[in-house]
Amino acid sequence: MAALYACTKCHQRFPFEALSQGQQLCKECRIAHPVVKCTYCRTEYQQESKTNTICKKCAQNVQLYGTPKPCQYCNIIAAFIGNKCQRCTNSEKKYGPPYSCEQCKQQCAFDRKDDRKKVDGKLLCWLCTLSYKRVLQKTKEQRKHLSSSSRAGHQEKEQYSRLSGGSHYNSFSPDLALDSPGTDHFVIIAQLKEEVATLKKMLHQKDQMILEKEKKITELKADFQYQESQMRAKMNQMEKTHKEVTEQLQAKNRELLKQAAALSKSKKSEKSGAITSP
């Protein structure tokens, strides 16, 4: 009986071939908990639930520092403290200021001064390095698939040639499938797909940033209009109150003038009466 091995998630036992190479997960756990990219830092992690779109580290940082901002270097939305993400901050301390990435042309590639750590001699940023490695991995898998399929076809043709008695099929070589220009096309297509996916993600991030800024501008405009209307209403009220007070003072002044005129008139009449009485 073949040995069985436990899945690291559900702990049920399966044959070794049925488990994934990296984390030793069964097929059901791989479907239920796929490896996805974090919305913020773009690192791959095991998704616990479909609603969970950020890794545990970013979730902790969100609770401590709030929603992150785009990094001023790599433009990844992972700058929880300041204007740079932790990856670029650490790389800048270790390797100095960033250079232009030869793939995405952003100023976010750090020169490690070691050609062995470059990807095919190119100075790439972190995201482009991951994309390039994925392309190489897919190319290897496609080459392996082509090699196996070509060998199977070669064996079928040899068998057919033996049965038919012909010999012209024996000149077919499986290496021709690997050396053909089609494999280079696979590499180019895979690279272009990765670049398109990266550009789409960057465009989506830019759109989100623009939407947030437009939302903030709209809120500021609404607040400004509200403050302006409040100020105008207050000024109108003050002007109305000042006008009412002025009218009251003018009316009181007229009343006092009338009283003063009446008093002066009564005094003159008293004086004239006192003169005529002897």
Side-chain angles (χ1 to χ4, degrees):
M1 183 178 179
L4 299 178
Y5 299 87
C7 171
T8 55
K9 203 74 179 176
C10 64
H11 304 293
Q12 295 183 13
R13 294 190 171 275
F14 300 90
F16 183 76
E17 294 78 12
L19 301 176
S20 61
Q21 293 181 0
Q23 298 188 359
Q24 301 294 306
L25 296 176
C26 64
K27 185 177 180 180
E28 293 182 359
C29 289
R30 288 199 299 271
I31 296 173
H33 306 283
V35 177
V36 296
K37 287 185 178 180
C38 176
T39 306
Y40 290 150
C41 66
R42 309 306 300 162
T43 55
E44 294 183 347
Y45 72 101
Q46 200 79 34
Q47 191 178 33
E48 297 295 334
S49 62
K50 292 184 179 180
T51 57
N52 183 19
T53 59
I54 59 177
C55 63
K56 292 181 180 179
K57 187 176 181 181
C58 286
Q60 293 175 357
N61 288 331
V62 168
Q63 292 179 355
L64 292 173
Y65 308 109
T67 305
K69 297 178 292 185
C71 176
Q72 70 178 27
Y73 289 155
C74 63
N75 208 30
I76 297 175
I77 306 176
F80 290 96
I81 304 174
N83 297 323
K84 291 177 283 189
C85 66
Q86 194 63 38
R87 188 181 295 109
C88 288
T89 301
N90 295 336
S91 297
E92 188 177 21
K93 289 179 181 179
K94 193 172 182 180
Y95 306 112
Y99 294 88
S100 177
C101 174
E102 295 183 23
Q103 187 72 21
C104 65
K105 308 305 179 185
Q106 289 192 98
Q107 201 80 8
C108 56
F110 294 91
D111 190 2
R112 300 185 180 184
K113 310 298 182 184
D114 188 357
D115 293 337
R116 292 176 299 177
K117 294 184 179 180
K118 292 182 180 180
V119 183
D120 287 347
K122 294 181 179 180
L123 182 62
L124 303 180
C125 65
W126 179 74
L127 276 179
C128 291
T129 300
L130 292 182
S131 299
Y132 200 88
K133 288 181 178 179
R134 281 197 296 270
V135 169
L136 292 178
Q137 183 64 28
K138 287 181 181 179
T139 305
K140 288 179 181 178
E141 293 176 357
Q142 289 168 354
R143 285 176 179 268
K144 187 176 179 181
H145 177 70
L146 283 172
S147 177
S148 60
S149 60
S150 62
R151 287 195 182 95
H154 180 60
Q155 290 174 359
E156 289 178 0
K157 288 182 180 181
E158 282 185 346
Q159 186 177 5
Y160 177 77
S161 63
R162 285 196 298 269
L163 292 173
S164 61
S167 60
H168 60 280
Y169 289 107
N170 293 333
S171 60
F172 179 82
S173 173
D175 295 332
L176 293 175
L178 294 177
D179 296 333
S180 64
T183 55
D184 295 334
H185 293 165
F186 276 124
V187 176
I188 296 171
I189 291 170
Q191 287 178 346
L192 291 175
K193 285 183 178 179
E194 287 290 332
E195 289 179 8
V196 169
T198 303
L199 290 173
K200 282 183 178 180
K201 290 172 184 175
M202 290 173 61
L203 183 62
H204 179 69
Q205 292 175 356
K206 294 278 188 183
D207 290 340
Q208 291 295 325
M209 289 171 59
I210 291 171
L211 287 174
E212 289 178 1
K213 288 182 179 180
E214 287 180 351
K215 183 180 178 182
K216 192 172 183 180
I217 290 170
T218 305
E219 291 175 354
L220 289 172
K221 283 183 178 179
D223 186 58
F224 176 76
Q225 290 177 356
Y226 175 76
Q227 295 289 343
E228 189 179 11
S229 62
Q230 290 291 106
M231 185 66 68
R232 285 181 180 177
K234 190 176 181 180
M235 289 176 66
N236 291 334
Q237 185 64 31
M238 290 174 65
E239 187 178 356
K240 184 179 179 181
T241 304
H242 180 266
K243 188 176 181 180
E244 290 177 354
V245 171
T246 304
E247 289 178 354
Q248 289 177 2
L249 290 173
Q250 288 177 351
K252 191 173 183 180
N253 190 26
R254 287 193 295 269
E255 185 68 24
L256 291 173
L257 288 174
K258 287 180 182 179
Q259 291 178 5
L263 288 172
S264 62
K265 188 176 180 180
S266 63
K267 285 183 179 180
K268 285 180 180 179
S269 62
E270 287 177 358
K271 287 181 180 180
S272 62
I275 292 170
T276 55
S277 59

